[in-house]
């Protein structure tokens, strides 16, 4: 009787090189006078650059320069970083976290299953249910969404919302208003899903008006928003973005060349510098199935110059003009999704069910449209940051803000974070408001 013999593979063999050569991380505050150098040497693996950049971005560190090299089986990179005020990183807790997060046990692989056909995605994880929504943007939409959640007795623990090319993507973390636990009642979840679906659809019956993917695993919220808008093809805006949406100073200049001798496509990006810019670009290239082999990043005053040497995962360069054009459009969209020219308002109050609904209702009634938002719960306080314009997309009249302050001042604290009238302040790098939301991640717990 014939037998088939198969070679035996030790299941630990794949991780052998990592165990023999674990990642080496150093945080150097002596070599450079005006920044901290973070050096990472590691065995190369898919997605490692994005993991490293994601950790630095979550800590709100500003990457002023970076040099990336990952030819062969080894990954080496150097990041020049500062805090948001331009100072070196001296907090021992942050340094310790960086060394542990990027060290031997710091890297994790994210696996996300998606169902692109669903309009509203809901799944439960730990003490929260996660809702993902995507659809056509319109004034007051966030207010309508939060009102539905409040009426159904869902408490919004955290949320992040982006708009781009008249599309909206939103990830909301909710729990039950009485138990503070995730809701697992299928009837209640189904009711919420149907009501949110109707709001996103509005008066339209077109299937393309509103849809989203249903994530069955946890992924980084900013990356998830990029994935949702990319799947929604927001980069094919059909020229809907206007001069008012993205002034010339915010329009990136992107070119793609070929380095025949080495077999690389060279993606060059020059645009207005800002927080998390490198993350947004690397995230998009990674999700488009491109591998970054080398990169050079630098800041020149208010502008950033970034160069990436890439190949497709199958080892090929970008050969066709159509493929190059698509990469350029997708990178432009990734850069512009986080750009917010509107006024930035921070609203803080004692956390309670319906707080987000109340805040967004007042914004809507005062003729303000939310272009981007971040909501978080810090202890017993609910903190929300809203980037707003008037309903016509124009800058907000400060008289409106003063009226808003008087209206909500007895229950909420309102702080104006950014006034776009001063172009000089933006050129000097002071025009970007800082927002960071970890949704109970390791970073928040470690640094608490």
């Amino acid at each position: 009787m014939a037998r088939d013999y198969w070679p035996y593979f030790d299941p630990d063999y794949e991780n052998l090189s990592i165990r023999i050569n674990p990642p080496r991380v150093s945080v150097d505050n002596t070599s450079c006078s005006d920044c901290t150098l973070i050096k990472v040497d590691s065995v190369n693996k898919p997605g490692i650059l994005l993991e490293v950049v994601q950790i630095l971005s979550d800590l709100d560190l500003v990457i002023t320069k970076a040099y990336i090299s990952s030819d062969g089986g080894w990954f080496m990179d150097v990041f020049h970083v500062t805090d948001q005020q331009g100072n070196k990183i001296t907090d021992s807790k942050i340094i310790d976290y960086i060394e542990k997060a990027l060290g031997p046990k710091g890297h994790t692989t994210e696996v996300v299953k998606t169902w692109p056909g669903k309009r509203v995605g809901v799944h439960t994880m730990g003490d929260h249910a996660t809702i993902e929504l995507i659809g056509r943007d319109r004034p007051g939409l966030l207010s309508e969404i939060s009102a539905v959640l409040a009426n159904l007795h869902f408490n919004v623990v955290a949320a992040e919302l982006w708009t781009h090319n008249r599309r909206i993507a939103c990830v909301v973390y909710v729990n039950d208003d009485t138990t503070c636990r995730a809701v697992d009642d299928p009837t209640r979840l189904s009711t919420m899903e149907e009501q949110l679906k109707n709001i996103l659809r509005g008066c339209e019956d077109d299937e393309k008006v509103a849809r989203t993917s249903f994530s069955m695993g946890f992924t980084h919220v900013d990356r998830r928003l990029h994935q949702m808008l990319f799947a929604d093809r927001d980069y094919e805006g059909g020229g809907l973005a206007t001069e008012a949406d993205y002034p010339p100073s915010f329009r990136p200049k992107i070119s793609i060349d070929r380095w025949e001798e080495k077999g690389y496509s060279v993606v060059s990006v020059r645009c207005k510098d800002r927080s998390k810019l490198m993350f947004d670009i690397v995230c998009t290239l990674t999700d488009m199935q491109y591998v970054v082999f080398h990169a050079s990043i630098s800041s020149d005053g208010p502008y950033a110059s970034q160069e990436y040497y890439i190949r497709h995962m199958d080892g090929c360069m970008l050969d066709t003009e159509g493929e190059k054009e698509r990469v350029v459009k997708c990178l432009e969209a990734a850069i512009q999704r986080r750009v917010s020219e509107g006024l930035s308002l921070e609203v803080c109050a004692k956390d309670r069910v319906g707080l987000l609904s109340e805040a967004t209702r007042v914004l809507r009634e005062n003729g303000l449209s939310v272009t981007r938002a971040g909501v978080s719960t810090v202890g017993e306080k609910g903190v929300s940051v809203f980037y707003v314009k008037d309903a016509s997309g124009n800058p907000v009249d400060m008289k409106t803000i003063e009226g808003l302050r008087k209206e909500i001042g007895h229950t909420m604290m309102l702080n104006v974070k950014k006034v776009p009238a001063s172009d000089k302040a933006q050129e000097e790098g002071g025009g970007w408001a800082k927002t960071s939301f970890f949704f109970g991640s390791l970073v928040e717990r470690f640094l608490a």
Side-chain angles (χ1 to χ4, degrees):
M1 180 176 176
R3 291 186 179 181
D4 291 328
Y5 292 94
W6 298 94
Y8 171 75
F9 289 99
D10 188 333
D12 290 331
Y13 178 78
E14 184 179 350
N15 298 321
L16 180 62
S17 60
I18 297 178
R19 295 205 309 272
I20 296 175
N21 301 294
R24 296 192 299 271
V25 181
S26 68
V27 180
D28 178 4
N29 270 319
T30 60
S31 298
C32 190
S33 60
D34 57 357
C35 66
T36 298
L37 269 60
I38 299 176
K39 304 175 184 178
V40 182
D41 294 341
S42 172
V43 173
N44 194 20
K45 67 172 184 176
I48 187 172
L49 175 59
L50 178 58
E51 291 181 23
V52 173
V53 174
Q54 179 176 298
I55 288 169
L56 299 181
S57 296
D58 280 349
L59 290 169
D60 279 322
L61 302 182
V62 178
I63 301 173
T64 58
K65 290 183 182 179
Y67 305 96
I68 312 298
S69 179
S70 61
D71 255 346
W74 202 254
F75 172 82
M76 297 174 287
D77 58 357
V78 178
F79 297 92
H80 296 235
V81 303
T82 67
D83 62 18
Q84 290 285 326
Q85 288 71 46
N87 302 317
K88 289 186 177 184
I89 312 305
T90 56
D91 189 321
S92 60
K93 287 186 177 180
I94 295 179
I95 292 174
D96 190 36
Y97 176 79
I98 291 171
E99 292 174 341
K100 290 182 178 178
L102 299 180
K105 297 180 181 179
H107 298 300
T108 59
T109 302
E110 296 171 314
V111 178
V112 177
K113 299 178 182 178
T114 60
W115 282 257
K118 288 187 69 68
R119 291 173 179 269
V120 179
V122 183
H123 74 272
T124 299
M125 184 184 68
D127 290 339
H128 311 107
T130 305
I131 310 164
E132 297 182 350
L133 310 99
I134 193 162
R136 181 171 294 167
D137 189 27
R138 67 175 186 271
L141 181 56
L142 179 59
S143 176
E144 295 177 40
I145 292 170
S146 55
V148 165
L149 297 176
N151 290 337
L152 294 175
H153 303 286
F154 286 94
N155 181 45
V156 177
V157 180
E160 186 88 0
L161 173 147
W162 290 357
T163 62
H164 180 248
N165 271 347
R166 309 300 190 269
R167 305 298 292 176
I168 181 174
C170 185
V171 178
V172 188
Y173 291 73
V174 300
N175 58 22
D176 182 80
D177 64 349
T178 55
T179 65
C180 296
R181 301 283 297 178
V183 177
D184 54 8
D185 179 356
T187 302
R188 190 174 171 192
L189 292 174
S190 178
T191 300
M192 174 182 64
E193 182 173 343
E194 189 62 29
Q195 292 192 21
L196 291 176
K197 188 189 299 182
N198 291 335
I199 286 176
L200 285 171
R201 186 187 298 119
C203 299
E204 313 252 8
D205 291 326
D206 184 359
E207 279 295 315
K208 294 184 178 180
V209 170
R211 62 184 184 277
T212 190
S213 27
F214 179 12
S215 171
M216 294 299 293
F218 178 74
T219 189
H220 187 273
V221 67
D222 284 6
R223 185 177 185 187
R224 188 73 192 121
L225 290 167
H226 276 303
Q227 290 173 337
M228 291 166 65
L229 286 167
F230 174 72
D232 193 53
R233 304 176 77 89
D234 71 319
Y235 53 88
E236 295 180 347
L240 288 175
T242 65
E243 183 77 16
D245 292 324
Y246 303 109
S249 62
F250 286 96
R251 291 183 176 174
K253 296 179 180 179
I254 302 172
S255 63
I256 300 178
D257 299 311
R258 293 169 63 90
W259 189 6
E260 297 284 358
E261 293 81 1
K262 298 292 185 180
Y264 295 126
S265 292
V266 184
V267 179
S268 300
V269 181
R270 180 169 173 80
C271 64
K272 191 76 174 285
D273 197 12
R274 61 163 173 78
S275 178
K276 304 182 189 294
L277 176 62
M278 185 178 181
F279 169 82
D280 294 335
I281 293 174
V282 172
C283 175
T284 299
L285 290 173
T286 301
D287 286 335
M288 292 183 73
Q289 306 297 307
Y290 293 105
V291 179
V292 177
F293 288 86
H294 302 279
S296 176
I297 282 79
S298 63
S299 296
D300 179 17
Y303 293 94
S305 296
Q306 304 194 4
E307 204 167 60
Y308 298 88
Y309 296 77
I310 68 171
R311 296 184 189 129
H312 197 271
M313 285 190 70
D314 60 11
C316 296
M317 292 189 291
L318 282 69
D319 290 324
T320 67
E321 290 303 316
E323 186 179 13
K324 292 179 182 178
E325 183 179 351
R326 182 170 179 266
V327 169
V328 169
K329 284 184 176 180
C330 290
L331 290 179
E332 285 178 345
I335 293 168
Q336 291 173 343
R337 285 168 194 152
R338 208 188 290 267
V339 171
S340 297
E341 272 293 271
L343 197 71
S344 176
L345 305 176
E346 183 181 70
V347 178
C348 180
K350 183 176 177 58
D351 188 38
R352 60 183 182 274
V353 176
L355 176 60
L356 179 62
S357 177
E358 181 182 345
T360 53
R361 175 186 58 78
V362 173
L363 294 177
R364 183 189 65 193
E365 291 175 349
N366 281 270
L368 300 181
S369 180
V370 178
T371 61
R372 186 156 66 93
V375 179
S376 61
T377 304
V378 183
E380 295 183 352
K381 290 185 177 180
V383 181
S384 301
V385 178
F386 302 103
Y387 292 79
V388 297
K389 292 183 178 181
D390 70 13
S392 302
N394 299 316
V396 179
D397 188 335
M398 291 307 295
K399 292 181 180 179
T400 301
I401 301 301
E402 290 307 313
L404 190 67
R405 197 191 302 273
K406 292 178 181 178
E407 183 174 353
I408 68 174
H410 58 288
T411 57
M412 306 179 200
M413 183 177 68
L414 177 68
N415 184 24
V416 178
K417 300 288 286 184
K418 182 176 71 170
V419 180
S422 174
D423 291 335
K424 182 177 179 182
Q426 289 183 359
E427 289 294 321
E428 293 173 350
W432 295 101
K434 168 179 167 290
T435 59
S436 178
F437 307 95
F438 298 112
F439 305 108
S441 70
L442 270 175
V443 179
E444 188 176 56
R445 293 199 297 269
F446 183 86
L447 296 178

